[in-house]
Amino acid sequence: MATWDLSKTKHHILLCNGGSCMRKGGEEVTVAIRQEIARQRADEQIHTTRTRCNGRCEDACVLIVYPDGVWYQNVQPEDAKEIVEHLVQGQHYQAKISHRYSGDGFVRNETVALGVKK
Ligand code: FES
């Protein structure tokens, strides 16, 4: 149990730990991202949370960064360094982005599946 001081948090990473993501290495991604945050001494600025399914299983492993509204797809443990390095610099690792919030919905990278209508 923990109660973190979030006053210096700039990025909140949601690490999908739903079934599909866990079958594709979600645990290893979660550990790698957290280790990389620690290695880069970025704990104050990057907070992480494990989640259940985020509804984009085809994109597993899914990682989401708020408040930026940027969704990542097909994340592998070896992407952790690039993802965290970019966040520390206030940027995003373009190679794995699936969606970006535009202020009026999420804009999908055309290489990822549209998905079914809600
Ligand atoms: S299990 Fe991760 S998006 Fe569904």
Side-chain angles (χ1 to χ4, degrees):
M1 210 145 101
T3 303
W4 300 110
D5 172 2
L6 301 176
S7 58
K8 295 191 175 159
T9 300
K10 295 179 184 165
H11 308 284
H12 185 192
I13 298 180
L14 305 180
L15 295 154
C16 190
N17 278 199
S20 298
C21 288
M22 292 306 262
R23 280 190 289 280
K24 288 200 164 176
E27 178 64 28
E28 292 79 4
V29 168
T30 298
V31 169
I33 291 285
R34 287 179 166 172
Q35 283 180 343
E36 194 58 33
I37 290 168
R39 195 186 69 78
Q40 294 191 36
R41 295 185 166 82
D43 290 288
E44 270 195 345
Q45 56 177 297
I46 304 175
H47 184 65
T48 62
T49 302
R50 292 177 186 262
T51 75
R52 300 277 189 178
C53 177
N54 285 278
R56 287 290 308 181
C57 296
E58 192 162 323
D59 300 341
C61 292
V62 169
L63 178 157
I64 307 163
V65 182
Y66 280 95
D68 315 48
V70 176
W71 289 53
Y72 289 72
Q73 49 115 7
N74 189 27
V75 177
Q76 314 282 319
E78 51 269 29
D79 298 320
K81 183 171 181 283
E82 289 287 351
I83 289 171
V84 173
E85 264 180 17
H86 278 75
L87 283 180
V88 166
Q89 293 166 13
Q91 300 169 355
H92 286 278
Y93 182 41
Q94 302 292 325
K96 293 291 173 116
I97 292 175
S98 68
H99 295 77
R100 282 180 175 274
Y101 188 63
S102 69
D104 184 29
F106 285 86
V107 177
R108 176 179 53 96
N109 179 330
E110 289 179 6
T111 64
V112 299
L114 174 60
V116 294
K117 279 214 180 298
K118 292 185 129 196

